[in-house]
Amino acid sequence: MSAFTAILLRDLKLALRTGGDWLTLALFFVMVGIVVPFAIGPDRELLSRLAPGIVWIAAFLSVLLGLDRLFRADHEDGTLLLLRLSDLPLAGVVLAKLIAHWLLTALPLLAATPLLAVMLSMDPPAFLRAVVSLLVGTPGLVALGTVGAAVTVTIRRGGLIAPVLILPLAIPLLIFGVGAITTGPGPDQSGTALLLLAAISLIAVAVTPFAAALAITSAED
């Protein structure tokens, strides 16, 4: 077993052993869909028009919930220092943790999307576009969250600071994520928005391991 795979499986096992985090994320994601209709009222047409934005805001807030567990526990018990000294480059360690965090964060959200779609009166085509956009865009959100967690790993209450740091960077993902679901009266631009969303997400995932590794090295040295 390679070091990369070992770190990935380790993070998955630790998260599943403690349990509850994935369920908390899914419940929070759905709770946003429960609360918003009460604020908007019984207008189903208005609710369905606002549904794409609600879905992506709920996804973004849900991703923020798990940021503090990415590096902080490993930093506090000295595991992160040992990982820095291992044969696997720190960027590879970060990538393994990023993938594990995406599996533990995004997959519960995707599983809860059908329930949220029903609450927001989304039609089947809009629901399918929502699933695809979340599948494509959530790696970018998790990547940005990884950078925020790395920057604040040595800061007390860094979990409160990281969301403030990544929010401006996440705005393009939110815009194109909503655009990938929304269809207007004119030409359908959802396909173009989905391609742009995929491009931004791919760039974020490609850059994050190196940026986060540099941030961890600078913070701990």
Side-chain angles (χ1 to χ4, degrees), residues 2-138:
S2 66
F4 181 88
T5 306
I7 293 172
L8 174 60
L9 293 178
R10 169 188 173 272
D11 278 21
L12 291 176
K13 288 179 181 178
L14 287 176
L16 294 176
R17 187 178 300 169
T18 55
D21 287 345
W22 63 271
L23 182 59
T24 301
L25 293 174
L27 288 176
F28 181 82
F29 183 65
V30 173
M31 284 298 295
V32 174
I34 295 176
V35 172
V36 171
F38 284 105
I40 295 176
D43 191 339
R44 293 175 61 89
E45 183 178 350
L46 176 61
L47 189 61
S48 64
R49 290 203 306 269
L50 296 178
I54 297 171
V55 167
W56 266 90
I57 290 174
F60 176 68
L61 295 177
S62 299
V63 168
L64 295 181
L65 290 180
L67 287 184
D68 206 39
R69 72 166 183 258
L70 254 173
F71 301 111
R72 186 165 301 279
D74 289 341
H75 168 69
E76 291 175 350
D77 64 13
T79 302
L80 193 58
L81 179 59
L82 294 178
L83 291 175
R84 289 179 57 192
L85 300 175
S86 66
D87 294 334
L88 183 66
L90 186 56
V93 173
V94 171
L95 181 59
K97 286 182 166 293
L98 190 157
I99 294 174
H101 189 65
W102 181 82
L103 292 173
L104 294 166
T105 302
L107 294 187
L109 301 187
L110 292 171
T113 301
L115 181 57
L116 187 62
V118 172
M119 294 177 180
L120 298 178
S121 302
M122 298 178 71
D123 54 38
F127 161 69
L128 292 177
R129 289 194 298 271
V131 171
V132 173
S133 70
L134 288 175
L135 186 63
V136 171
T138 47

Side-chain angles (χ1 to χ4, degrees), residues 157-184:
R157 301 185 182 276
L160 301 176
I161 301 174
V164 178
L165 297 178
I166 68 172
L167 177 58
L169 301 176
I171 289 176
L173 285 170
L174 298 178
I175 292 173
F176 292 118
V178 173
I181 306 174
T182 306
T183 57

